[in-house]
Each structure stands twice: as C-alpha cells, then as structure tokens.
Amino acid sequence: MLDVRAGEAQSPLTVDEVIGCLQQRWQASYDLQLVVRRGRLYLHVMWAYLEQQSFPLDENAYREHIAEVIDVVNRLAQAQVVREWLATTRDRPRLGKALSLPLQGGERLEEFVL
C-alpha cells in the first residue's frame, strides 16, 4: 500500500510511487488515462497493463505517459485524493471495465476540460 504520512499528504505523486502502488495492489503496471465526460475529468485505471505482451507501449513510453497523467493530477492538487483512492479502492480493473475516479479541480479544471 502507499505510505500516507502527514508530511507526505501534500507532496506530489511521482511516477515510481504510482507504478509501485499499482504493482503492489494488483501485481501489474496498469495503464492510467484521463477521460473527459460531460464536462468532468476522470482518472481511469484501465485493464491493459505494461506486462501484457500486446500492450502498445514499451517501459520508457509507459513511464512518460504515466508522468503526463500524474502531472495533471498534481496540478489539480488531487495527489492525496488519488493516493488514498489507489490505496483503498475495493475494485480492480478487469477486461472492459476501468476503475474511475472523478477529479475535482474547481476553476483549474477548466484548463484541462475543453
């Protein structure tokens, strides 16, 4: 699980932290996607993962993609929300069904939602 200490509560997410959590929780490096639906932004944990033979990205491209996703999460000040959700969600990604977390961002959300 993610180590959520008081001092780390405000710290931004890192690529290694997120990938480590995914691997620890579900034994796989799942893909993350940002999805805009009805003017809201969602973080999806997809069912595809790096260790799959058919996964379209190599490890470097995967890490770059995850970095882009968590950059948005960090800029929306949602790192702690995502950290807690990844550590406590009871569901798991499965074929055809992603896990979905609505992200809050107030006025900053307009920057990411067209």
Side-chain angles (χ1 to χ4, degrees):
M1 300 294 156
L2 292 174
D3 186 13
V4 182
R5 296 183 206 135
E8 293 178 20
Q10 310 311 338
S11 65
L13 288 168
T14 66
V15 172
D16 290 334
E17 177 186 8
V18 170
I19 293 172
C21 178
L22 295 170
Q23 290 172 339
Q24 186 175 11
R25 282 297 309 271
W26 298 299
Q27 293 71 51
S29 305
Y30 282 104
D31 186 19
L32 300 179
Q33 297 288 326
L34 292 172
V35 177
V36 177
R37 201 174 332 130
R38 295 188 197 118
R40 301 238 13 222
L41 185 63
Y42 297 86
L43 175 67
H44 282 189
V45 178
M46 306 303 289
W47 56 88
Y49 53 93
L50 177 63
E51 296 82 6
Q52 270 179 318
Q53 196 169 15
S54 62
F55 193 70
L57 304 175
D58 64 18
E59 184 173 358
N60 288 335
Y62 169 75
R63 291 180 70 81
E64 288 175 15
H65 169 69
I66 297 300
E68 291 171 0
V69 170
I70 64 173
D71 178 55
V72 172
V73 169
N74 288 333
R75 292 188 335 187
L76 288 171
Q78 294 290 287
Q80 187 58 29
V81 172
V82 170
R83 192 176 274 124
E84 290 175 7
W85 178 68
L86 287 174
T88 60
T89 184
R90 293 177 182 246
D91 225 347
R92 74 176 295 130
R94 49 187 193 271
L95 187 60
K97 183 175 186 292
L99 301 183
S100 183
L101 173 69
L103 296 174
Q104 305 298 318
E107 296 172 11
R108 299 240 21 214
L109 196 56
E110 293 176 13
E111 186 177 330
F112 305 100
V113 178
L114 298 178

